[in-house]
Amino acid sequence: MRPATALALCAALASTALLTGCGKETAGAPASPGATCAPDEPVVDPDGRTWDNVRVVSGKCGPSGAPSTGYEVTNTDKEPLTFTLTFSLVNGFGEAMDTITRTVEAVKPGQTVRRPLDAADGPGSARAYRARLMKVRAVPADGTGGDCPSSGVRITNDRGDAAMGLRVVGIHLENCGAADYRLDGYPALRLLDEDRHVVTGVKILDGTTAISTGIGGDAAPRPVTLHPGESAYANLAWRNTTTEGDPVNAPYVEVTAKPGAKPVTVTPELDLGTTGRLGVGPWTKTPAGAGQE
């Protein structure tokens, strides 16, 4: 992973890091009373890789000094960030047993947040594994999750769908404010690479028909009024075909819901291949009772 602009991240993880006594969320605070923690020491990644702005450490925490698994994130940016971390849990034979994702919302500038890395079976269930950090994403926190932002809307993306090289991801806008919110047309997009630098050379199309038909982005735009609690979506569609040239990847997308709105950064993980095209559907009101996948 290349260095992220204005961002330093420490992800503390391994088979010996942070038991429950020190594994609770903290904000740069000392460990819990009664906890005994050995100094953190660097640990070689299972694959021998290095990660810019990521520190892999080990330590023994808790009254018993027993080993466990955890992670730590530090925000050195000038604004609150929401981190999404993807881990692979590896057994003693080096075999990947599970992939898990953890989100740490609204980490303040200068704040450190430490948490245990528990697997699906509950607290301490990741203790038998080494945790390999696979991917880190960090976006400005305002507008993506947690409390309703000052704009009155929250913008997120779903996990999407893929079949035979065709990709479709939904951008979702929720009116979490107290007043109606009106949309008309297509969201404006700016594609960003891993370092949150602008990606050029990709043609953004109104509608998704040129990518494929019948995927929910063919209709003409029409005005949408969202009452408090209601949502709308816009589908992104592309093909990840790779021929001659370097493939284009844009993990981050900056979404401007309508003219004059504040941009919000989401992570739809666009693997555009060498096609150079991205289709964008119009804002469409989400049917009542429909969930985000």
Side-chain angles (χ1 to χ4, degrees), residues 206-230:
D206 288 344
T208 59
T209 304
I211 306 299
S212 184
T213 59
I215 55 178
D218 304 339
R222 55 186 299 178
V224 174
T225 298
L226 300 179
H227 303 303
E230 293 183 329

Short mmCIF file of all heavy atoms in Angstrom, two decimals, residues 206-230:
data_model
loop_
_atom_site.label_atom_id
_atom_site.label_comp_id
_atom_site.label_asym_id
_atom_site.label_seq_id
_atom_site.Cartn_x
_atom_site.Cartn_y
_atom_site.Cartn_z
N ASP A 206 -23.59 9.55 -18.18
CA ASP A 206 -24.94 9.66 -17.61
C ASP A 206 -25.73 8.43 -18.02
O ASP A 206 -25.93 8.17 -19.21
CB ASP A 206 -25.64 10.92 -18.11
CG ASP A 206 -25.08 12.20 -17.50
OD1 ASP A 206 -24.37 12.10 -16.48
OD2 ASP A 206 -25.34 13.29 -18.03
N GLY A 207 -26.16 7.66 -17.03
CA GLY A 207 -26.87 6.42 -17.31
C GLY A 207 -25.92 5.25 -17.44
O GLY A 207 -24.71 5.42 -17.61
N THR A 208 -26.48 4.05 -17.35
CA THR A 208 -25.67 2.83 -17.39
C THR A 208 -25.92 1.99 -18.63
O THR A 208 -25.35 0.91 -18.78
CB THR A 208 -25.97 1.97 -16.15
OG1 THR A 208 -27.36 1.62 -16.12
CG2 THR A 208 -25.61 2.72 -14.86
N THR A 209 -26.75 2.48 -19.58
CA THR A 209 -27.10 1.69 -20.76
C THR A 209 -25.87 1.35 -21.60
O THR A 209 -25.78 0.24 -22.15
CB THR A 209 -28.11 2.45 -21.63
OG1 THR A 209 -29.26 2.77 -20.84
CG2 THR A 209 -28.55 1.62 -22.81
N ALA A 210 -24.92 2.27 -21.70
CA ALA A 210 -23.73 2.02 -22.51
C ALA A 210 -22.85 0.93 -21.89
O ALA A 210 -22.02 0.34 -22.59
CB ALA A 210 -22.93 3.31 -22.67
N ILE A 211 -23.03 0.65 -20.62
CA ILE A 211 -22.27 -0.42 -19.96
C ILE A 211 -23.02 -1.74 -20.09
O ILE A 211 -22.46 -2.75 -20.50
CB ILE A 211 -22.03 -0.09 -18.47
CG1 ILE A 211 -21.37 1.28 -18.32
CG2 ILE A 211 -21.20 -1.19 -17.81
CD1 ILE A 211 -20.01 1.41 -18.97
N SER A 212 -24.30 -1.72 -19.75
CA SER A 212 -25.17 -2.89 -19.88
C SER A 212 -26.61 -2.45 -19.65
O SER A 212 -26.85 -1.42 -19.01
CB SER A 212 -24.78 -3.97 -18.86
OG SER A 212 -25.56 -5.14 -19.04
N THR A 213 -27.56 -3.19 -20.16
CA THR A 213 -28.96 -2.86 -19.97
C THR A 213 -29.54 -3.66 -18.80
O THR A 213 -29.01 -4.70 -18.42
CB THR A 213 -29.77 -3.15 -21.24
OG1 THR A 213 -29.63 -4.55 -21.58
CG2 THR A 213 -29.28 -2.30 -22.41
N GLY A 214 -30.62 -3.15 -18.25
CA GLY A 214 -31.36 -3.88 -17.24
C GLY A 214 -30.69 -3.95 -15.89
O GLY A 214 -30.96 -4.88 -15.11
N ILE A 215 -29.85 -2.96 -15.55
CA ILE A 215 -29.16 -3.02 -14.26
C ILE A 215 -29.55 -1.85 -13.37
O ILE A 215 -28.87 -1.55 -12.38
CB ILE A 215 -27.63 -3.06 -14.45
CG1 ILE A 215 -27.14 -1.87 -15.29
CG2 ILE A 215 -27.21 -4.37 -15.07
CD1 ILE A 215 -25.63 -1.85 -15.45
N GLY A 216 -30.66 -1.17 -13.71
CA GLY A 216 -31.21 -0.19 -12.79
C GLY A 216 -30.73 1.22 -12.96
O GLY A 216 -30.99 2.05 -12.09
N GLY A 217 -30.07 1.55 -14.07
CA GLY A 217 -29.62 2.92 -14.27
C GLY A 217 -29.99 3.47 -15.63
O GLY A 217 -29.36 4.41 -16.12
N ASP A 218 -31.04 2.89 -16.24
CA ASP A 218 -31.42 3.26 -17.60
C ASP A 218 -32.44 4.39 -17.66
O ASP A 218 -32.54 5.07 -18.69
CB ASP A 218 -32.02 2.05 -18.34
CG ASP A 218 -31.07 0.85 -18.35
OD1 ASP A 218 -29.86 1.06 -18.16
OD2 ASP A 218 -31.54 -0.27 -18.54
N ALA A 219 -33.20 4.59 -16.60
CA ALA A 219 -34.31 5.54 -16.64
C ALA A 219 -33.80 6.98 -16.74
O ALA A 219 -32.69 7.29 -16.30
CB ALA A 219 -35.18 5.39 -15.39
N ALA A 220 -34.63 7.86 -17.30
CA ALA A 220 -34.29 9.28 -17.34
C ALA A 220 -34.40 9.86 -15.94
O ALA A 220 -35.23 9.42 -15.13
CB ALA A 220 -35.24 10.01 -18.28
N PRO A 221 -33.59 10.84 -15.61
CA PRO A 221 -33.67 11.43 -14.26
C PRO A 221 -34.98 12.17 -14.05
O PRO A 221 -35.56 12.73 -14.99
CB PRO A 221 -32.47 12.40 -14.22
CG PRO A 221 -32.16 12.69 -15.66
CD PRO A 221 -32.52 11.45 -16.42
N ARG A 222 -35.43 12.17 -12.81
CA ARG A 222 -36.65 12.88 -12.45
C ARG A 222 -36.50 13.40 -11.02
O ARG A 222 -35.71 12.86 -10.23
CB ARG A 222 -37.87 11.97 -12.55
CG ARG A 222 -37.77 10.70 -11.75
CD ARG A 222 -38.95 9.76 -12.00
NE ARG A 222 -40.20 10.38 -11.62
CZ ARG A 222 -41.39 9.79 -11.77
NH1 ARG A 222 -41.46 8.56 -12.30
NH2 ARG A 222 -42.48 10.41 -11.40
N PRO A 223 -37.22 14.46 -10.68
CA PRO A 223 -37.07 15.02 -9.33
C PRO A 223 -37.43 14.00 -8.25
O PRO A 223 -38.38 13.21 -8.40
CB PRO A 223 -38.05 16.20 -9.33
CG PRO A 223 -38.22 16.55 -10.77
CD PRO A 223 -38.13 15.25 -11.52
N VAL A 224 -36.67 14.01 -7.17
CA VAL A 224 -36.90 13.12 -6.04
C VAL A 224 -36.94 13.98 -4.77
O VAL A 224 -36.04 14.78 -4.53
CB VAL A 224 -35.77 12.07 -5.90
CG1 VAL A 224 -35.95 11.24 -4.63
CG2 VAL A 224 -35.73 11.17 -7.13
N THR A 225 -38.00 13.82 -3.99
CA THR A 225 -38.10 14.49 -2.70
C THR A 225 -38.05 13.44 -1.60
O THR A 225 -38.87 12.52 -1.56
CB THR A 225 -39.40 15.30 -2.58
OG1 THR A 225 -39.40 16.33 -3.59
CG2 THR A 225 -39.50 15.96 -1.21
N LEU A 226 -37.08 13.58 -0.72
CA LEU A 226 -36.92 12.65 0.39
C LEU A 226 -37.40 13.31 1.68
O LEU A 226 -36.85 14.34 2.10
CB LEU A 226 -35.46 12.23 0.55
CG LEU A 226 -34.79 11.54 -0.64
CD1 LEU A 226 -33.34 11.24 -0.32
CD2 LEU A 226 -35.54 10.27 -1.03
N HIS A 227 -38.41 12.72 2.29
CA HIS A 227 -38.83 13.17 3.62
C HIS A 227 -37.84 12.61 4.65
O HIS A 227 -37.09 11.67 4.36
CB HIS A 227 -40.25 12.69 3.91
CG HIS A 227 -41.25 13.15 2.90
ND1 HIS A 227 -41.46 14.48 2.60
CD2 HIS A 227 -42.11 12.45 2.11
CE1 HIS A 227 -42.40 14.60 1.70
NE2 HIS A 227 -42.81 13.38 1.37
N PRO A 228 -37.77 13.16 5.84
CA PRO A 228 -36.87 12.63 6.86
C PRO A 228 -37.03 11.12 7.04
O PRO A 228 -38.15 10.62 7.15
CB PRO A 228 -37.28 13.40 8.12
CG PRO A 228 -37.77 14.71 7.59
CD PRO A 228 -38.49 14.37 6.32
N GLY A 229 -35.92 10.41 7.01
CA GLY A 229 -35.93 8.96 7.14
C GLY A 229 -35.97 8.22 5.82
O GLY A 229 -35.77 7.00 5.80
N GLU A 230 -36.22 8.91 4.71
CA GLU A 230 -36.28 8.25 3.40
C GLU A 230 -34.91 8.28 2.73
O GLU A 230 -34.02 9.06 3.09
CB GLU A 230 -37.33 8.91 2.52
CG GLU A 230 -38.75 8.71 3.01
CD GLU A 230 -39.79 9.30 2.10
OE1 GLU A 230 -39.50 10.32 1.42
OE2 GLU A 230 -40.92 8.74 2.04
#
